[in-house]
Amino acid sequence: MTTPRPLVRPARVLAAALAAGTLFATAACSGSDSSASPESDASSTVAERGLAAAQTTSPAASESPSDLSEEGARNALITPADIEDDWTQVRDPREWRDTLLVGSVDVAAFVDGQSDVQDCQRLVDALFQETLLGKPTGASAVTGFQQGDSRLLYQVAAYDKAELDDSMQWLSELPDACDQFTLTGGDAGERTVQVIETSLPQAGDNRQGLTVTVKGESNGDPVTLSLDVAAVQIGADAITVTNGGLDGADHDTTSAAVKQGTQRLQEVLAGRTPSPTPSGIN
């Protein structure tokens, strides 16, 4: 009497199929001959998709790009009511890249110099530009305000998520890497720069606050420029604030900009249009 053959277990069938699929994918991808047939290209694509789907732990696969639109970025910008006091919105804060006159001092030129430390140089170069967190890869909007001898630059932008993570990490390391350094070059001679960490309201997924103080001379007179620098990350999007002047940095204004600005961006990302901020906010 013939002994019946045992049934092949489903698990063994699945394992064999996966092994064959992997072998097929490897063979299909190993050739660089441009004369490969359309059938082999299609089969290779199917196999590669199967392998890619199995790699669920890949960081790139788990990161979603920003959905922020240009209109959404503009709607997420803060208004004078968000920061109260006597702030006046300026027409075009992008002009601050070249000249930022506060009284008789061009503070943009005052911080324009050279540092021997790369991380510190990056900070100096970004203070009055729109590159504090790197170059946006998606929608971006910027606004600016002035009050007496103080200026506030505010930006909402979408970034590459991995690059944004790196930029936030870079900001967090500046109080140690650039706690005090010297700027040279330009008309202001040597200036001493100090960077300290400051607290921000609990907002977004990640946040970093700094106060940057630059001391030197301008037109033969001693000058001290103090700036709050703040960044809040929400996924692949972020807001940035640079606020201060020759009379110091108003930390309450920076905190208000961070708190109100984060709420506005969260509303935009949720598909809503932020309501106008009423005057007299707390």
Side-chain angles (χ1 to χ4, degrees):
M1 181 175 181
T2 304
T3 303
R5 299 178 60 186
L7 294 175
V8 179
R9 294 173 182 258
R12 294 180 59 190
V13 174
L14 179 59
L18 288 174
T22 302
L23 179 62
F24 178 76
T26 303
C29 295
S30 63
S32 59
D33 187 354
S34 60
S35 63
S37 66
E39 291 80 9
S40 65
D41 288 342
S43 300
S44 173
T45 301
V46 171
E48 289 170 359
R49 287 175 180 170
L51 290 174
Q55 296 172 348
T56 56
T57 59
S58 169
S62 63
E63 293 173 359
S64 300
S66 171
D67 293 326
L68 186 66
S69 66
E70 294 290 346
E71 181 181 8
R74 291 191 297 270
N75 288 336
L77 292 173
I78 59 172
T79 69
D82 291 306
I83 50 180
E84 291 192 303
D85 293 334
D86 296 320
W87 291 96
T88 301
Q89 195 163 8
V90 300
R91 184 181 63 83
D92 186 6
R94 290 180 173 87
E95 295 177 351
W96 292 350
R97 295 173 182 172
D98 301 319
T99 302
L100 180 53
L101 287 176
V102 178
S104 62
V105 179
D106 183 351
V107 296
F110 185 64
V111 299
D112 183 21
Q114 301 297 316
S115 168
D116 293 335
V117 182
Q118 183 177 357
D119 284 341
C120 307
Q121 184 67 54
R122 176 180 170 183
L123 172 63
V124 168
D125 291 342
L127 282 178
F128 291 109
Q129 299 186 20
E130 300 166 42
T131 58
L132 184 66
L133 295 177
K135 185 177 180 180
T137 58
S140 176
V142 63
T143 188
F145 307 85
Q146 62 184 27
Q147 177 180 254
D149 286 342
S150 296
R151 304 291 183 268
L152 189 151
L153 181 68
Y154 187 93
Q155 183 182 21
V156 177
Y159 301 86
D160 174 86
K161 177 61 165 55
E163 293 179 0
L164 178 57
D165 290 340
D166 289 343
S167 294
M168 294 297 294
Q169 180 64 29
W170 164 71
L171 279 180
S172 71
E173 295 170 352
L174 288 180
D176 291 327
C178 302
D179 59 336
Q180 182 167 310
F181 63 96
T182 299
L183 278 182
T184 59
D187 297 332
E190 288 193 354
R191 285 134 288 163
T192 301
V193 185
Q194 291 181 314
V195 180
I196 63 172
E197 186 171 15
T198 56
S199 61
L200 295 177
Q202 292 293 317
D205 303 330
N206 191 11
R207 70 209 65 81
Q208 183 61 51
L210 307 170
T211 295
V212 181
T213 303
V214 186
K215 294 183 178 181
E217 290 187 356
S218 177
N219 300 320
D221 297 322
V223 173
T224 298
L225 173 69
S226 297
L227 297 170
D228 273 355
V229 178
V232 178
Q233 177 183 6
I234 303 176
D237 306 308
I239 64 173
T240 56
V241 182
T242 303
N243 166 41
L246 303 180
D247 293 331
D250 186 341
H251 304 305
D252 289 341
T253 295
T254 303
S255 294
V258 164
K259 182 179 179 180
Q260 297 299 119
T262 302
Q263 291 177 359
R264 293 181 68 87
L265 179 55
Q266 287 172 330
E267 286 194 51
V268 166
L269 294 176
R272 300 188 294 269
T273 300
S275 301
T277 304
S279 59
I281 61 171
N282 294 323

